Each structure stands twice: as structure tokens, then as C-alpha cells.
Amino acid sequence: MSESYAERLAQGNPQAAAAFQLGQIIEAVDTARATVEKAKPKVWHFASSADVRAAVDQEQVADGDVVVVESERIVGFVVVAWPVAITEQFGGFRAYSLLGKPARDYCEGDYIPSIERAEQVAIDLGYKLADPSAAQTARITAGLPVAFETPRMLVEPTDVLHAFGARLTVVDTGVRINPATSQGEWWALVEGATEDDQRRTYRGQWAFAVPVANAAWDVVTVERVLPAPSA
């Protein structure tokens, strides 16, 4: 194979050689990025789930591609000749439950890249996933808060506490002795997480207390950003 002018120039000039090597590195990185991007499942947006079915039948979308119908709040992925929803809403798609197992276990995990991308699209759009466990995992991976139950005594500042028919951002918590009763009590300083929550409770910050005897066994629901599981 004949040498290019740049290669011949690089042989006798250190600066040209360095520039030539840099160009090769950039080209290799660009090629690798293009390969990774090409390997990702494509995301297609349609006006209706019926349009998705038609596109799949006509082979306009490929096996493993992600399909989105925002008008019906549906996100799914294509399994050979059928779009399968990963959201609670499924319209003309196959319902998630028809897979018969968690999506990541379907076909021995062949569709995991499609499922992960579909879940991220659904989370970004604010759609509810059909698999609660997958929804929890997807939100944790995305660094978003998840709702779970915890002993009241383990509630932390910045948690969003579900109480009094509202979502309350926890500003601070602690344990103190109530001088009126000489009994210990768990207390929390909170404020409504949204304007609607503030209308349901109080406009500003406010506090409430629960006897330690009750708080010690009480279980509450909070929202919190949890650390992502290690790979």
C-alpha cells in the first residue's frame, strides 16, 4: 500500500509526526463513538399506537428499536414483529404483562439495551412504568428520588415525607423532651414540597411531633435519592 503525503512528511519531522498521530487518535475516537451510537437502539416517535403497528408490519422499524407515542403516554420496544409496552399505558401495543417475566430476563437478556433506553425515555417523559421494580431501578440509576417505606426515626433532612395528605420536604428532624409531659418525642420541621402541598398544609415552614414510643415502631413513606447500585 502506498504511503500518503502526510505519512511521508511525518517520517522526517517530529512535529509533523505528532500531528499525524493526533489525527489518527481523533479519527479512532470518532469511529468508536460512531460505532457505539450505531449500536444503540433507535428511538422512533409516532402519532398513535396504530401507526407504530403499521410501521412494524412494514418493517420501517427494526427489532429492538424503541417506539414512543406521546399522545397515548406509551413507550415500548419492538420484539420481532410486535411493539411491547414498558409503560402502564399500552394502547395498541402488547401489554408488558404478556412477556410473562421481567423484561430484562426476556430472551435471555437480548433486549436489555432496548429496555434500558425505553425506560429512560419513559422516565424523562414522566410516564409510569408497568414494572414497579424496574421503575425504582431506573429512577435510582438516573439519580432521581424514589419512594419507599422507612422507620420514622430514620427520616432525614431533604427527604420528602408523605404525611397529612401532602408531600412535605423535611428541613430538620430530631428527638427532644416535651416539658409539658416530660416524655420524649420525635419532631420534624417541614414545608410543602409544592405550592399545592403548601395550600393543603401551611404556606411556610412548620413543625409537628410524635411521641418516641410511637415513632419507634411507626413506618412512613419518603422520597429520597438513593445511591446507584455498583456495577
Side-chain angles (χ1 to χ4, degrees):
M1 182 180 295
S2 61
E3 292 182 325
S4 67
Y5 172 76
E7 289 173 318
R8 292 196 301 272
L9 181 64
Q11 291 177 357
N13 187 314
Q15 291 180 333
F20 181 71
Q21 290 176 351
L22 178 59
Q24 288 183 312
I25 293 171
I26 293 173
E27 183 179 0
V29 170
D30 288 343
T31 300
R33 285 175 176 170
T35 301
V36 170
E37 193 62 33
K38 186 176 180 180
K40 287 183 180 179
K42 291 183 179 179
V43 179
W44 302 86
H45 292 258
F46 291 88
S48 71
S49 53
D51 289 343
V52 175
R53 291 286 301 277
V56 172
D57 290 343
Q58 297 168 18
E59 298 183 351
Q60 295 175 354
V61 294
D63 180 42
D65 281 353
V66 174
V67 283
V68 183
V69 182
E70 293 189 42
S71 63
E72 301 176 38
R73 300 180 67 82
I74 303 170
V75 178
F77 63 102
V78 178
V79 178
V80 187
W82 284 96
V84 177
I86 53 93
T87 48
E88 280 195 342
Q89 303 296 324
F90 58 90
F93 291 18
R94 288 287 181 91
Y96 178 88
S97 59
L98 294 179
L99 288 177
K101 60 180 65 179
R104 283 173 171 74
D105 297 336
Y106 189 72
C107 287
E108 299 182 346
D110 288 347
Y111 288 97
I112 287 178
S114 303
I115 294 156
E116 289 179 343
R117 193 157 197 194
E119 287 176 348
Q120 188 57 59
V121 170
I123 291 293
D124 291 344
L125 291 171
Y127 299 166
K128 193 169 183 180
L129 299 184
D131 183 347
S133 176
Q136 191 95 328
T137 300
R139 290 188 67 85
I140 291 172
T141 302
L144 300 172
V146 296
F148 64 96
E149 292 187 335
T150 187
R152 184 182 293 274
M153 300 288 286
L154 297 182
V155 172
E156 301 175 354
T158 74
D159 282 349
V160 174
L161 175 66
H162 294 200
F164 304 100
R167 296 170 62 253
L168 308 172
T169 299
V170 179
V171 179
D172 199 6
T173 68
V175 176
R176 66 192 178 197
I177 298 297
N178 186 331
T181 63
S182 298
Q183 300 295 315
E185 60 184 19
W186 174 90
W187 60 270
L189 178 64
V190 299
E191 59 184 351
T194 65
E195 289 186 6
D196 184 52
D197 294 315
Q198 292 173 11
R199 284 194 295 269
R200 294 181 185 184
T201 52
Y202 298 94
R203 295 288 180 178
Q205 295 183 359
W206 56 285
F208 68 94
V210 176
V212 168
N214 295 336
W217 56 261
D218 194 13
V219 173
V220 296
T221 299
V222 300
E223 298 171 30
R224 181 187 301 168
V225 175
L226 299 176
S230 56

